[in-house]
Amino acid sequence: MKLELAGITKAFGPLVANDRVDLTVEEGEVHCLLGENGAGKTTLMNILFGLFRADAGEIRVDGETVHFRDPGDAVRKGIGMVHQHFMLVPVFTVAENIVLGFEPVRRFGFLDRRRARADIRRLSKEFGLDVDPDARVENLPVGAQQRVEILKALVRDAQVLILDEPTAVLTPQETEALFKIIRSLAASGRSVLFITHKLKEVLAVADRITVMRLGRVAGRTTPAESGEAELASMMVGREVELVVNKKPAEPGPPVLEVSDLTVVDERGLKVVDHVSLDVRAGEIVAVAGVQGNGQTELAQAVTGLTDHDRVSGSVRLEGREITQASPRQRLRAGIANIPEDRQADGLVLPMTIADNLVLDVYDQAPYARLGARNLARVRAGGQEKLKEFDIRASSAELPVSTLSGGNQQKVVVARELSRPVKLLVASQPTRGLDVGSIEYVHRRIVAERDRGCAVLVVSSELDEVLALGDRVAVMYRGRIVGIVPPTTSREQIGLMMAGVDQGAKDGAGEAPPAGDGERAGDGDRP
Amino acid sequence: MSVVELAPSDLVAAPEGRVVTSARVRGMGAFLLALAAIMVLAFGAGVPSDAKATFLLSAPPAIGLAPLVMPVRWVSIALAVVCAGLGAALLVRARPRGSYLTFGAGVTVFIWALLAWAARGNTLNFEQMLAETLVSATPLVYGALSGVMCERSGVVNIAIEGQFLAGAFLGAMIGSATGVLWAGVVAGAVAGAIFGALLAFLALRYGADQIIVGVVIVAFCTGLTNFLTEQVLTPYQATLNSPSTFSPAGIPLLDKIPILGPVLFYQNVFVYGAAVLLVVVQVALFQTRWGLRARAVSEHPRAAETVGIHVLSVRYRNVILGGVIAGIGGASFTIGSIGEFSADMTAGLGYVALAAMIFGRWRPFGALGAALLFGFSISLQSFLAVLNVGIPSPFLSMTPYVITIAVVSGLVGRVRPPAADGVPYSRE
Amino acid sequence: MTTAAAPPEETLSEQGAPGAAPPPWWLRALRWTAEANVAVVSFCAIVFGLFVGAILIVVTTPATLTAWGQIGSAPGHSLSVIFSTLGNAFGALFTGSIFSPSAVGHAISTGQGWAAAFTPISETMVSATPLILAGTGVAIGFSTGVFNIGGQGQLIAGAIAATYVGFGVHLPLVPHLVLVVLAGAAGGAVAGFIPGILKARTGAHEVIVTIMLNYIFLNLLNYLLVTPPLQQPGQSNAISRTVPASARLPHLFGGGLRVNVGFLVALGVAAAAAWFMKRGTLGFEFKVIGANPSAGRTAGMDASKATILVLTISGALVGLAGMSTLSGTDFFLSSGYGGNNGFNAITVALLGRNRPLGVVLGSLLFAALSTGGRYLQANTNIPLDLTQVIQAVIVFLVATPALVREIFRLREAGAGKILLFTKGWGA
């Protein structure tokens, strides 16, 4: 099936997300759509999939113009999509998720679960997508959830499969496995539209490449014609430094000492498992790992955001026990926290930039006295921070929701670094940002380190971990499987992310911890 | 996701996620021990040793059983031993599995002793008490099912109370005016549907806050029915507000079963209707395509949309159907019970029904259990008032409300509602 | 909630073309009236509410029903009956709540009867007093994302506490009144604290808990009213003792006008609340937690503590409302004390969009509706409940500005977006 997008234009208010975008995907090809965050890739795919309506332009399938009013229309025309945020119902089983909207039924609308199971087994065998139809999706590792998403499209006989940033949540080895699946899909005559901002992957898997920048097509090429640097400058519009410039670390005494830390989640499952870790003044410790292996919970336990009754072990800041301290006590003691999800945890979107900049010190001098806020001071302080942190806004009195993702993140960074900081905890500090903002945030983090601050960075982007970290701690299933220098090969760190203990590679993926056997369909063995 | 720490049997992660901790189980055990102490001290030692309580166990269609005569003190002490045993078991084992069943058994034993104590030197029509439990639970079942219908599509329906009032009002009025009771049922359903549609319209089309709209619908229905009662029903009481009522009809043979026969099989159509509806909704929700889609919409509407399900259509349909169910439940207050409509007659039971739904974890059969519990507390309160046990009647009247608070704040534990419940949905 | 749409870039487009003169003020004023800003939406909602009220009167009043029947044979007569009924009804609403032109005319021409001329407006202020207090309390809860529907219970709790202190303590006027006021606040605070602590500790949703507490306090009142020491000695009725003069809020004017110091207290509380939410550090914390509790937590705020605190404060203000009617006009408690005030507090908070000034205006409006409604009931036999229907309709529309925009064909307004939201069960 041949798919053409011609002149697609879509605006959200004043923002033009797609500007006359043309894209052609031939039958049986792997087509990569490359662009940085905010370039308009996801918007384009949502239009193709019938979730958004384009303002102008048309979609053609095998030369025939089609109009998709909703995803159902797109599915009927043979288009399948694996979304960046999985479109799976966590409390449903794999089978229920796969057949949803496409259910085999018996009389009176009763579900035919047996047939659903059989269909799934057949397809998963055909394409090597190993999943248990009866497992509950919320109990599956992300890699398996992704296979469920792919099966969902295949059950509906998708001829064009869109994969939106599919590798963000995978280990390098899982990524390799996914590429194998992609190639077998292409070999079966299906087309794959692979959306990413990672250059290495594009070069590894694409037949042809379309690069997007600021809502427009910035270029078309193939892996044979263009190398990494060329693709990067096409994507960003200028020469890009692919590395973070930093001097060697000069570590001082330990600032953060985590010992034997265990965290259980609300269901009583152990998510951080006897972790011990030191971060010293003037060094960056980067925590690597596939998302969902306890890094988030580790960061939360350090910043005090976990209920105390779910934490055991000890956390110390400059030798002082803070395990039982509240988040406020910790931040007053000098811990800064850049949370993973800035919109959910970092900012109050309807409030002004100035108010968001004092969210942690609103009741302190000079912003308040005797329970009364000094609004003039808050405003003036906000205006100063705009300049100091290069936040692009005409006034600090605007709602923070009017800012771009990059500038929103700068607001969080500005707030956290505006008080005396001894330890900076930064979770996914550059997720979803454009290259300019990424560079800025990285520079700021390195500057904090050079000032003598201890920095704990959590990131699922291996590139970021290797660029920023002075030491790299790899987490797998709640445990730190090893702490290695950032010069370690990607392949080895990848193996560690998949749970292979450093120096004990023969145990690859075997001997899961006790109780693991209960998790049906646990299929993420590398 | 990570590693299971506790042995599987230590953790009851029920499908919709009720987490029972060992601490909670121990709390239940301690509570049962306290109940046992009360039983010994108040119901046992506190009564003359020769006091007897009589429970009547038979009613008309059933095969008669002799009344049960019990020496209050000894029965109380014997039951206290059972209760203490159950409590000790919970304390020692502290295993969540089956803890609710054990706890429920303990409380049941306590209530038995309480009734025996209340009926000392007197006669309690136990049969009738059970029957009234079922009758009181019936509107709650309709209300809770209405809540299930709405919330299993992702819309919070806090307007059940208003739909009850509207259904009760219109049911009485149409039933009375036409003289056809079934017309009253239909009218009640229509009244409920109208306010379900209003909720859906404001919440889905305009994205209004569902809880606010719900509360205002209740205010509107309260004001409107009060206004119309005074303005229209009172002047024409004889024609517009004097409906007859559905009388109980026995199911042949089954209603002859001792004790349970008259309770379960000698009731009016509203009770039978509730039973049928319960099964239908339960099966439809978990076994059919319709239910799968509705639940998907309530959990992850965007995922549903991406597989071609029309989120808003599903929600409109469910919320209006939920209104129909609540409206029929409302009609049961008038034409299923006392006939005439009076202002504010639902007395907050719409909210109690909502609590029953939560207690039942958004499942019809679960809600039934909760509704029976509330129904029992309502009938218990009226029987204790009749037996004149020395508890002031306002305190007895509080019982259902206090139990509701206990249920939503402690007994249920943390429950997990459908993930997208109450969250407005828009595509872009 | 996932937002698939990319957030807009820093787009701060200049208003209008550079160099173009701004339109004259009258044109802007005219445009302002055609856009869906807060004031216009509220006004349209009120108009629509009254319109629904008019329809209800027309379709239920016996006189107009008869007239409908004759619309074929004597259309002129029918229409005049219908319009005169409506005219009388709305005239009564106005006369009963603002002033009666004839009474004012009489006072002007004779110099006598000024008190009578001011009675309606005084009564409106009396009715507004508890609404302002309770509405402000509910509004503070709303801005913190807490939905306090327990107004009725908290109001009763406040009134009970105030009554005890009223008849149980013997002091001179000023200290006694201060104690009574504090007792009212304390009673309400306790009733607000219960759902607060339950929500913070167990996650019990405040909507259900507060509603159940309404019924519990209602029953508690019923019990206390027939039990010493609250019951009026020598009475078998459910009536409390009467509070002495030293526990009564003094009237502001003479001549039998009932408006009292309570009204000033209410205005003062509203002003204090306005300051608190805008300038107070705690108010800021409340707003942050209302808008995004997890961001508040990340920034070191304690959401559970704020929930408990806000429900307690909210309850205290509602308790003051219970005190204000007891010490201002009623002087004793009886069954059903407080009427719909607890519930109407929610509607005025919504109408006032959680701003204390808005609550004051909304309260005056709803107070006028209910005093007018009582006059209406006395004069035309149209039940007072009509005003509750009108209020509900108004709030429907206020909570749904998009609908008002469609009904009245207003343009979308940039500012004045109404931020009202509650949390689902999980929160």
Coordinates of all heavy atoms in Angstrom, one line a residue, chain C residues 44-115:
Chain C
C44 N -26.3 37.3 31.9 CA -27.2 36.5 31.1 C -27.7 35.3 31.9 O -28.9 34.9 31.7 CB -26.3 36.0 29.9 SG -25.9 37.3 28.8
A45 N -26.9 34.8 32.7 CA -27.4 33.6 33.5 C -28.6 34.1 34.4 O -29.6 33.3 34.5 CB -26.3 33.1 34.4
I46 N -28.5 35.2 35.0 CA -29.6 35.7 35.9 C -30.8 36.0 35.0 O -31.9 35.5 35.4 CB -29.1 37.0 36.6 CG1 -28.0 36.7 37.6 CG2 -30.3 37.7 37.3 CD1 -27.2 37.9 38.0
V47 N -30.6 36.6 33.9 CA -31.8 36.8 33.0 C -32.5 35.5 32.6 O -33.7 35.4 32.7 CB -31.4 37.6 31.7 CG1 -32.5 37.6 30.7 CG2 -30.9 39.0 32.1
F48 N -31.6 34.5 32.3 CA -32.2 33.3 31.9 C -32.9 32.6 33.0 O -34.0 32.0 32.9 CB -31.1 32.4 31.3 CG -31.6 31.2 30.6 CD1 -32.1 31.3 29.3 CD2 -31.7 29.9 31.2 CE1 -32.6 30.2 28.6 CE2 -32.1 28.8 30.5 CZ -32.6 28.9 29.2
G49 N -32.3 32.7 34.2 CA -32.9 32.1 35.4 C -34.3 32.7 35.7 O -35.3 32.0 35.9
L50 N -34.4 34.0 35.6 CA -35.7 34.6 35.8 C -36.7 34.2 34.7 O -37.9 34.0 35.0 CB -35.5 36.2 35.8 CG -34.7 36.7 37.0 CD1 -34.5 38.2 36.9 CD2 -35.5 36.4 38.3
F51 N -36.2 34.1 33.5 CA -37.0 33.6 32.4 C -37.6 32.2 32.7 O -38.8 32.0 32.5 CB -36.2 33.6 31.1 CG -36.9 33.1 29.9 CD1 -37.9 33.8 29.3 CD2 -36.5 31.9 29.3 CE1 -38.6 33.4 28.2 CE2 -37.2 31.4 28.2 CZ -38.2 32.2 27.7
V52 N -36.8 31.3 33.2 CA -37.3 30.0 33.5 C -38.3 30.1 34.6 O -39.4 29.5 34.6 CB -36.1 29.1 33.9 CG1 -36.7 27.8 34.5 CG2 -35.2 28.8 32.8
G53 N -38.0 31.0 35.6 CA -39.0 31.2 36.7 C -40.3 31.7 36.1 O -41.4 31.2 36.5
A54 N -40.3 32.6 35.1 CA -41.5 33.1 34.5 C -42.3 32.0 33.9 O -43.5 31.9 34.0 CB -41.2 34.2 33.5
I55 N -41.6 31.1 33.1 CA -42.3 30.0 32.5 C -42.9 29.1 33.5 O -44.1 28.7 33.3 CB -41.2 29.2 31.6 CG1 -40.8 30.1 30.4 CG2 -41.9 27.9 31.1 CD1 -39.8 29.4 29.6
L56 N -42.2 28.8 34.6 CA -42.8 28.0 35.6 C -44.1 28.6 36.2 O -45.1 27.9 36.4 CB -41.8 27.8 36.7 CG -40.9 26.6 36.6 CD1 -39.9 26.5 37.7 CD2 -41.7 25.3 36.5
I57 N -44.1 29.9 36.4 CA -45.3 30.5 36.9 C -46.4 30.4 35.9 O -47.5 30.0 36.3 CB -45.0 32.0 37.2 CG1 -44.0 32.2 38.4 CG2 -46.3 32.8 37.5 CD1 -43.5 33.6 38.6
V58 N -46.1 30.7 34.7 CA -47.1 30.7 33.6 C -47.7 29.3 33.5 O -48.9 29.2 33.3 CB -46.5 31.2 32.3 CG1 -47.5 31.0 31.2 CG2 -46.2 32.7 32.4
V59 N -46.9 28.3 33.6 CA -47.5 26.9 33.3 C -48.1 26.3 34.6 O -48.6 25.2 34.5 CB -46.5 26.0 32.7 CG1 -46.0 26.5 31.3 CG2 -45.3 25.7 33.6
T60 N -47.9 26.9 35.8 CA -48.5 26.2 36.9 C -49.5 27.0 37.7 O -50.2 26.4 38.6 CB -47.3 25.9 37.9 OG1 -46.7 27.1 38.3 CG2 -46.3 24.9 37.3
T61 N -49.6 28.3 37.5 CA -50.5 29.1 38.3 C -51.9 28.9 37.8 O -52.2 29.0 36.6 CB -50.2 30.6 38.3 OG1 -48.8 30.7 38.6 CG2 -51.0 31.4 39.2
P62 N -52.9 28.6 38.7 CA -54.3 28.3 38.3 C -54.8 29.4 37.4 O -55.4 29.1 36.3 CB -55.0 28.2 39.6 CG -54.0 27.8 40.6 CD -52.7 28.4 40.2
A63 N -54.6 30.7 37.7 CA -55.2 31.7 36.9 C -54.7 31.7 35.5 O -55.5 31.8 34.5 CB -54.9 33.1 37.6
T64 N -53.4 31.5 35.3 CA -52.9 31.5 34.0 C -53.3 30.2 33.2 O -53.5 30.2 32.0 CB -51.3 31.6 33.9 OG1 -50.8 30.5 34.7 CG2 -50.9 32.9 34.5
L65 N -53.4 29.1 34.0 CA -53.8 27.9 33.3 C -55.2 28.1 32.7 O -55.5 27.7 31.6 CB -53.8 26.7 34.3 CG -52.4 26.2 34.7 CD1 -52.5 25.2 35.7 CD2 -51.7 25.7 33.4
T66 N -56.1 28.7 33.5 CA -57.4 29.0 33.0 C -57.4 29.8 31.8 O -58.0 29.6 30.8 CB -58.3 29.7 34.1 OG1 -57.9 29.2 35.4 CG2 -59.8 29.5 33.9
A67 N -56.5 30.9 31.9 CA -56.3 31.8 30.8 C -55.9 31.1 29.5 O -56.3 31.3 28.4 CB -55.4 32.9 31.1
W68 N -54.9 30.1 29.7 CA -54.5 29.3 28.5 C -55.6 28.7 27.8 O -55.7 28.6 26.6 CB -53.5 28.2 29.0 CG -52.1 28.7 29.2 CD1 -51.4 28.7 30.4 CD2 -51.2 29.3 28.3 NE1 -50.2 29.2 30.2 CE2 -50.0 29.6 28.9 CE3 -51.3 29.6 26.9 CZ2 -48.9 30.2 28.3 CZ3 -50.2 30.2 26.3 CH2 -49.0 30.5 27.0
G69 N -56.5 28.2 28.7 CA -57.7 27.5 28.1 C -58.5 28.4 27.2 O -59.2 27.9 26.3
Q70 N -58.5 29.7 27.5 CA -59.4 30.6 26.8 C -58.6 31.3 25.7 O -59.1 32.2 25.1 CB -60.0 31.6 27.7 CG -60.8 31.0 28.8 CD -61.0 32.0 30.0 OE1 -60.3 33.0 30.1 NE2 -61.9 31.6 30.9
I71 N -57.4 30.8 25.4 CA -56.6 31.6 24.5 C -57.2 31.6 23.1 O -57.0 32.6 22.4 CB -55.1 31.1 24.5 CG1 -54.2 32.2 24.0 CG2 -55.0 29.8 23.6 CD1 -52.9 32.2 24.6
G72 N -58.0 30.6 22.7 CA -58.6 30.6 21.4 C -59.8 31.6 21.4 O -59.9 32.4 20.5
S73 N -60.6 31.5 22.4 CA -61.8 32.4 22.4 C -61.5 33.8 22.7 O -62.1 34.7 22.1 CB -62.8 31.8 23.4 OG -62.3 31.6 24.6
A74 N -60.7 34.1 23.7 CA -60.4 35.4 24.1 C -59.0 35.7 24.3 O -58.5 35.8 25.4 CB -61.2 35.8 25.4
P75 N -58.3 35.7 23.1 CA -56.8 35.8 23.2 C -56.3 37.1 24.0 O -55.4 37.0 24.8 CB -56.3 35.8 21.8 CG -57.5 36.2 21.0 CD -58.7 35.8 21.7
G76 N -57.0 38.2 23.7 CA -56.6 39.4 24.4 C -56.6 39.2 25.9 O -55.7 39.5 26.6
H77 N -57.7 38.7 26.4 CA -57.9 38.5 27.8 C -56.9 37.6 28.4 O -56.3 37.8 29.4 CB -59.4 38.0 28.1 CG -59.6 37.6 29.5 ND1 -59.7 38.5 30.5 CD2 -59.7 36.3 30.0 CE1 -59.8 37.8 31.6 NE2 -59.8 36.5 31.4
S78 N -56.7 36.5 27.7 CA -55.8 35.5 28.2 C -54.4 36.1 28.3 O -53.8 35.9 29.4 CB -55.7 34.3 27.2 OG -56.9 33.8 27.0
L79 N -53.9 36.8 27.3 CA -52.6 37.3 27.4 C -52.5 38.4 28.5 O -51.5 38.4 29.2 CB -52.2 38.0 26.0 CG -51.9 37.0 24.9 CD1 -51.6 37.7 23.6 CD2 -50.7 36.1 25.3
S80 N -53.6 39.1 28.7 CA -53.5 40.1 29.7 C -53.4 39.5 31.1 O -52.7 39.9 32.0 CB -54.6 41.1 29.6 OG -55.7 40.7 30.3
V81 N -54.2 38.4 31.3 CA -54.1 37.6 32.5 C -52.7 37.1 32.8 O -52.1 37.3 33.8 CB -55.1 36.5 32.5 CG1 -54.8 35.5 33.7 CG2 -56.5 37.0 32.6
I82 N -52.1 36.5 31.7 CA -50.8 36.0 31.8 C -49.8 37.0 32.2 O -49.0 36.9 33.1 CB -50.4 35.2 30.5 CG1 -51.2 33.9 30.4 CG2 -48.9 34.9 30.5 CD1 -51.2 33.4 29.0
F83 N -49.8 38.1 31.4 CA -48.9 39.2 31.7 C -49.1 39.9 33.0 O -48.1 40.2 33.7 CB -48.8 40.2 30.6 CG -48.0 39.7 29.4 CD1 -48.6 39.3 28.2 CD2 -46.6 39.5 29.5 CE1 -47.9 38.8 27.2 CE2 -45.9 39.0 28.5 CZ -46.5 38.7 27.3
S84 N -50.3 40.0 33.4 CA -50.5 40.6 34.8 C -50.1 39.7 35.9 O -49.5 40.1 36.9 CB -52.0 41.1 34.9 OG -52.8 39.9 35.3
T85 N -50.3 38.4 35.7 CA -49.7 37.5 36.7 C -48.2 37.6 36.8 O -47.7 37.7 37.9 CB -50.1 36.0 36.3 OG1 -51.5 35.9 36.1 CG2 -49.7 35.0 37.4
L86 N -47.6 37.6 35.7 CA -46.1 37.7 35.7 C -45.7 39.0 36.3 O -44.8 39.1 37.1 CB -45.6 37.6 34.3 CG -45.5 36.2 33.7 CD1 -44.9 36.2 32.3 CD2 -44.6 35.3 34.7
G87 N -46.4 40.1 35.8 CA -46.1 41.4 36.4 C -46.3 41.5 37.9 O -45.4 42.0 38.6
N88 N -47.3 40.9 38.4 CA -47.5 40.9 39.8 C -46.4 40.1 40.5 O -45.9 40.6 41.5 CB -48.9 40.2 40.1 CG -50.0 41.1 39.8 OD1 -49.8 42.3 39.7 ND2 -51.2 40.6 39.7
A89 N -46.1 39.0 39.9 CA -45.1 38.1 40.5 C -43.7 38.8 40.6 O -43.1 39.0 41.7 CB -44.9 36.8 39.8
F90 N -43.3 39.3 39.5 CA -42.0 40.0 39.5 C -42.0 41.3 40.3 O -41.1 41.7 40.9 CB -41.4 40.2 38.1 CG -40.9 38.9 37.5 CD1 -41.6 38.2 36.6 CD2 -39.7 38.4 38.0 CE1 -41.2 36.9 36.1 CE2 -39.2 37.1 37.5 CZ -40.0 36.4 36.5
G91 N -43.2 42.0 40.2 CA -43.4 43.2 41.0 C -43.2 42.8 42.5 O -42.5 43.5 43.2
A92 N -43.8 41.7 42.9 CA -43.7 41.3 44.3 C -42.3 41.0 44.7 O -41.8 41.3 45.7 CB -44.7 40.1 44.5
L93 N -41.6 40.3 43.7 CA -40.2 40.0 44.0 C -39.4 41.3 44.3 O -38.6 41.3 45.2 CB -39.6 39.3 42.8 CG -39.7 37.7 42.7 CD1 -39.0 37.2 41.5 CD2 -39.1 37.1 44.0
F94 N -39.7 42.3 43.5 CA -38.9 43.5 43.6 C -39.4 44.3 44.9 O -38.5 44.7 45.7 CB -39.2 44.4 42.4 CG -38.4 45.7 42.4 CD1 -37.1 45.7 42.0 CD2 -39.0 46.8 42.8 CE1 -36.3 46.9 42.0 CE2 -38.3 48.0 42.8 CZ -36.9 48.0 42.4
T95 N -40.7 44.4 45.0 CA -41.2 45.2 46.2 C -40.8 44.5 47.5 O -40.5 45.2 48.4 CB -42.7 45.2 46.1 OG1 -43.1 45.5 44.8 CG2 -43.3 46.2 47.1
G96 N -40.8 43.2 47.5 CA -40.4 42.5 48.7 C -39.0 42.6 49.1 O -38.6 42.3 50.2
S97 N -38.1 42.9 48.1 CA -36.7 42.7 48.4 C -35.9 44.1 48.3 O -34.9 44.2 48.9 CB -36.1 41.7 47.4 OG -36.2 42.2 46.1
I98 N -36.4 45.0 47.5 CA -35.6 46.3 47.3 C -36.4 47.4 48.0 O -36.1 47.8 49.1 CB -35.4 46.6 45.8 CG1 -35.0 45.3 45.1 CG2 -34.4 47.7 45.7 CD1 -33.6 44.9 45.3
F99 N -37.4 47.9 47.4 CA -38.3 48.8 48.0 C -39.6 48.9 47.3 O -39.7 48.4 46.1 CB -37.7 50.2 48.1 CG -37.5 50.9 46.7 CD1 -38.5 51.6 46.1 CD2 -36.3 50.8 46.1 CE1 -38.4 52.1 44.9 CE2 -36.1 51.4 44.8 CZ -37.1 52.1 44.2
S100 N -40.6 49.4 48.0 CA -41.9 49.5 47.3 C -42.1 51.0 47.0 O -42.0 51.9 47.9 CB -43.0 49.0 48.3 OG -44.0 50.0 48.4
P101 N -42.3 51.3 45.7 CA -42.4 52.7 45.3 C -43.5 53.4 46.1 O -43.3 54.6 46.5 CB -42.8 52.6 43.8 CG -42.3 51.3 43.4 CD -42.4 50.4 44.6
S102 N -44.6 52.8 46.4 CA -45.6 53.5 47.1 C -45.2 53.8 48.5 O -45.5 54.9 49.0 CB -46.9 52.7 47.1 OG -46.7 51.5 47.9
A103 N -44.5 52.9 49.2 CA -44.1 53.1 50.5 C -43.1 54.3 50.6 O -43.1 55.2 51.4 CB -43.5 51.9 51.2
V104 N -42.2 54.3 49.6 CA -41.2 55.4 49.5 C -41.9 56.7 49.2 O -41.6 57.7 49.9 CB -40.1 55.1 48.5 CG1 -39.2 56.3 48.2 CG2 -39.3 53.9 48.9
G105 N -42.9 56.6 48.3 CA -43.6 57.9 48.0 C -44.3 58.4 49.2 O -44.3 59.6 49.5
H106 N -44.9 57.5 50.0 CA -45.6 57.8 51.2 C -44.6 58.5 52.2 O -44.9 59.6 52.7 CB -46.2 56.6 51.8 CG -46.9 56.8 53.1 ND1 -48.1 57.5 53.3 CD2 -46.5 56.5 54.4 CE1 -48.4 57.5 54.5 NE2 -47.4 57.0 55.2
A107 N -43.5 57.9 52.3 CA -42.5 58.4 53.3 C -42.0 59.8 52.8 O -41.9 60.7 53.7 CB -41.3 57.5 53.4
I108 N -41.8 60.0 51.5 CA -41.4 61.3 51.1 C -42.4 62.3 51.3 O -42.2 63.4 51.8 CB -41.0 61.2 49.6 CG1 -39.7 60.4 49.4 CG2 -40.8 62.6 49.0 CD1 -39.3 60.1 48.0
S109 N -43.7 62.0 51.0 CA -44.7 63.0 51.0 C -45.1 63.3 52.5 O -45.4 64.5 52.8 CB -46.0 62.6 50.2 OG -46.5 61.4 50.8
T110 N -45.1 62.4 53.3 CA -45.5 62.6 54.7 C -44.4 62.8 55.7 O -44.6 63.3 56.8 CB -46.4 61.5 55.2 OG1 -45.6 60.3 55.3 CG2 -47.6 61.2 54.3
G111 N -43.2 62.3 55.3 CA -42.1 62.3 56.2 C -42.2 61.2 57.3 O -41.4 61.1 58.1
Q112 N -43.2 60.4 57.1 CA -43.4 59.3 58.1 C -43.1 58.0 57.4 O -43.1 57.9 56.1 CB -44.9 59.3 58.5 CG -45.4 60.6 59.2 CD -44.8 60.7 60.6 OE1 -44.9 59.8 61.4 NE2 -44.2 61.9 60.9
G113 N -42.9 56.9 58.1 CA -42.9 55.6 57.6 C -41.6 55.3 56.8 O -41.6 54.5 55.9
W114 N -40.5 56.0 57.2 CA -39.2 55.7 56.5 C -38.8 54.2 56.8 O -38.3 53.5 55.9 CB -38.1 56.6 57.0 CG -38.2 58.0 56.3 CD1 -38.7 59.1 56.8 CD2 -38.0 58.2 54.9 NE1 -38.7 60.1 55.9 CE2 -38.2 59.6 54.7 CE3 -37.5 57.5 53.9 CZ2 -38.1 60.2 53.5 CZ3 -37.3 58.1 52.6 CH2 -37.6 59.4 52.4
A115 N -39.1 53.8 58.0 CA -38.7 52.5 58.4 C -39.4 51.4 57.5 O -38.7 50.5 56.9 CB -39.0 52.2 59.9

